Amino acid sequence: MEKQEALIEYCLRLGDNSLILGHRISEWCGHGPILEEDIALTNIALDLVGQARTLLTYAGEVEGKGRTEDDLAYLRQVREYRNCLLLEQENGDFARTIVRQFLFDSYHVPFLEALRSSTDTTLAAFAEKSLKEATYHLRHSSEWMIRLGDGTEESKTRVQGALNELWMYSGELFETDEVESVLQKEKIAPNMDAIKKTWTTNVAGILELATLTQPEAGWMQSGGRTGKHSELLGYILAELQYVQRSYPGCEW
Amino acid sequence: MVATNDNILSLLENVMDPEVPVLSILDLGIVRKVDAENNTIVITPTYSGCPAMQTIEDDIRKILADNGLENITIETTLTPAWTTDWLSESGRKKLREYGIAPPVGTSKDKNVLFGDEKQVSCPQCRSGNTKLISQFGSTACKALYKCEDCLEPFDYFKCI
Ligand SMILES: [Zn+2]
């Protein structure tokens, strides 16, 4: 695989992670359990969509065929999306949304820390910028894991249930294939082993504070990064792409 | 108007942050470079998803055009990443007068769970007896606080 092809794919994977999770959390807008959380979740969504814009724009530039961030977000088919399956999972209740966020944020922070040393200057600058935002996200989701886990019987049951259900999607965040190995050789993409280690330690630490039980290591779900999605992503895209599909080329 | 760096800077002093309209984009520290010779201005976003960036760019273009300066390229850079450490002294003073607590300390220390360790003073009554309500406020750049003395809620311009 050529470096250019790998870099496009890599940017789409990272950009789609942020875009799809950002879209998912934006569904909470106006439905948050309390006003402060409605605002917090929409703020986080805004950061994530902003990150996606940088990455999709860059993917289009590297490709060099004139595709813009909008073309990539609004006109790709479901099988062309490259986000991990975790991020397209449904919001469910607040506990489930927080668990999904916590599993992702715990990966995102050490990943961005490592990406800052990328030899690709655009990715390094992107990481430096986004890390500031992701640090706030991780703090927010970690605090909620502890409040809910070490809260009432009801909140604990819900957050433990969501953790048990979503755990099998956490492995895909650390998967690597030819795309990563081509870029790791050029020191563009970081090695995922150290990041996985940090993730494991931090997640275990927060779960302990939250008095939650870490699900047993088992079979991990996978496929989103290569375009094999659950049926959920189609519904997300139906909403996300509706305007461009109905009124092609429309601008405002 | 002749396109010199000083002239452009004095015009940019009048371009306000649409979300905090007492701060000029110079106070905010998002103008990274003015290069009149090459007709270029470089700006940087506060947050990746800051919805004000497009408006700021349009406002810059408009004020320059109104003063006869056309064809200026506005570039956006992500590096070095914007930090609240770049807020000017006058910007901090304007924020306080407007009712928003300016950032306390530097952008480095924010890894503690539960509550900001920093003491943020109430922009209304100056009391230091305040409490963090949420790290996420009315816009991406603000957190929400409450004053335990005068009981007013207020925005805090958080450190990044
Ligand atoms: Zn007060």
Side-chain angles (χ1 to χ4, degrees), chain B residues 122 125 147 150:
Chain B
C122 168
C125 75
C147 174
C150 74

Side-chain angles (χ1 to χ4, degrees), chain B residues 122 124-127 147 149-152:
Chain B
C122 168
Q124 308 292 339
C125 75
R126 301 290 148 96
S127 163
C147 174
D149 281 337
C150 74
L151 303 180
E152 283 289 321

